[in-house]
Amino acid sequence: MVIYAPYTVYQYGLKGWGKVILKDGWKYFILAAADVEANFLVVKAYQYTNLLSCMLLDCWAIPVCMFFQWIYQKPKYHWTQLLGIFIALGGMGIQVASDQLLDKDYPALDMVKGDVFMIIGATLYGFTNATEEKFVRNSPLYEVLGIFGLWGTLINGIQASALEWKNMRDANWNGPVIGLLFAFTAAMLILYTIAPILYRMASSTYYNLSLLSSDFYGLLFGLFLYHYKPYFLYFISFPVTLIGLIVYFWNLAPETQGKIDVRVPEYITARHEIGRVAGEV
């Protein structure tokens, strides 16, 4: 919000930005609310159910994302794409097996409650990814991220104040904790900036498949920071996932996943002409 909302005001002018809030702000409000609740529910799910359920149920976001992407974009799915998804999920399965063999799981406090939280959270993830892709294919990135971030900050701030104020009050706010929060915020800024660019260049489904490889990168950090001793299957799961990503677009160009027609709203005038090439603002 701190970066993209002011830049949107700069591009549209304060009056134009206000018009966007009034006329199209509701769309970004729904997107932001779904994203905030997805993050909240998934984090809560880890508190109640076990790691195996979380890792498996989180994959539910992929078919949900494909469903909404099909509604919005009408992409032409090829059998090789389905094969790529199957291979990528196979890499995830190898990783889950590795965790189970190392007995990294933990007991569930309330498995049913946690599983429901994870399913709802994954469903909202799939919805938000596909919906954001629809927006960035038709609107400037700074508009989408600016107004999306504005609503997300407000919703998250109100919800955290209502539900997490005791935890925030009792937290140990020392230097390392604050430093980690800044690092996490920087990581989220990079993620939320790069994700919509990937949506344009590929698709939101491809983005979700790519996230299957994130645990391997977490392992690399763990090797140096916490001296993890991973099972050898971890090093097999990563290339299997990458092969799935390659197969996904083996026979089809990314352009078949949806059209890119970036335009500012008709009722305002931006300072600069909007590019129509994937990756431009």
Side-chain angles (χ1 to χ4, degrees):
M1 183 192 78
V2 175
I3 296 176
Y4 294 107
Y7 187 71
T8 305
V9 175
Y10 166 74
Q11 287 286 348
Y12 292 173
L14 187 59
K15 185 177 180 180
W17 177 78
K19 287 182 179 180
V20 176
I21 295 293
L22 292 175
K23 292 181 177 292
D24 294 322
W26 63 272
K27 299 186 298 185
Y28 297 114
F29 179 85
I30 293 174
L31 177 65
D35 187 69
V36 169
E37 299 312 319
N39 284 288
F40 176 77
L41 289 171
V42 167
V43 171
K44 282 295 181 182
Y46 277 94
Q47 297 180 11
Y48 291 103
T49 192
N50 57 35
L51 180 62
L52 176 61
S53 291
C54 286
M55 295 179 73
L56 293 177
L57 294 177
D58 192 39
C59 295
W60 171 245
I62 296 174
V64 173
C65 183
M66 292 181 66
F67 172 74
F68 282 104
Q69 187 190 3
W70 180 80
I71 291 178
Y72 296 144
Q73 309 289 339
K74 296 296 187 293
K76 300 176 181 178
Y77 289 121
H78 191 266
W79 69 267
T80 54
Q81 290 179 288
L82 300 179
L83 176 62
I85 292 173
F86 179 79
I87 294 173
L89 290 176
M92 179 67 179
I94 294 174
Q95 184 176 297
V96 170
S98 176
D99 287 340
Q100 290 300 298
L101 291 173
L102 289 179
D103 195 25
K104 288 180 60 178
D105 214 341
Y106 49 82
L109 296 177
D110 189 336
M111 181 169 285
V112 173
K113 186 176 182 179
D115 288 353
V116 170
F117 280 177
M118 181 58 75
I119 292 174
I120 297 175
T123 301
L124 291 175
Y125 269 143
F127 167 76
T128 56
N129 293 155
T131 303
E132 187 179 2
E133 178 189 354
K134 170 64 175 176
F135 289 167
V136 299
R137 285 181 179 273
N138 296 279
S139 301
L141 293 182
Y142 56 79
E143 177 192 314
V144 177
L145 293 176
I147 302 178
F148 171 37
L150 172 66
W151 286 127
T153 300
L154 293 174
I155 295 170
N156 195 49
I158 293 171
Q159 181 167 309
S161 299
L163 302 179
E164 305 291 339
W165 65 272
K166 288 185 178 180
N167 292 331
M168 291 188 289
R169 181 195 62 188
D170 299 334
N172 184 18
W173 296 104
N174 53 36
V177 170
I178 295 175
L180 288 173
L181 282 176
F182 273 105
F184 177 77
T185 302
M188 290 296 99
L189 172 62
I190 295 172
L191 175 66
Y192 276 83
T193 299
I194 294 178
I197 297 176
L198 182 59
Y199 295 160
R200 284 185 183 177
M201 297 178 67
S203 69
S204 52
T205 298
Y206 191 80
Y207 166 80
N208 275 277
L209 289 173
S210 300
L211 290 181
L212 295 178
S213 65
S214 62
D215 285 339
F216 181 82
Y217 296 108
L219 169 65
L220 295 182
F221 282 100
L223 289 174
F224 296 101
L225 295 177
Y226 307 111
H227 306 291
Y228 284 166
K229 295 181 179 179
Y231 197 57
F232 76 95
L233 288 178
Y234 256 101
F235 299 98
I236 297 177
S237 67
F238 182 66
V240 170
T241 302
L242 290 184
I243 291 172
L245 294 175
I246 295 172
V247 171
Y248 185 82
F249 276 129
W250 188 262
N251 279 326
L252 288 177
E255 290 78 10
T256 61
Q257 302 306 292
K259 295 181 180 179
I260 300 175
D261 187 17
V262 181
R263 300 177 183 272
V264 299
E266 295 180 355
Y267 49 83
I268 64 173
T269 302
R271 292 178 181 266
H272 305 290
E273 179 71 16
I274 302 301
R276 287 174 170 75
V277 181
E280 292 188 9
V281 297

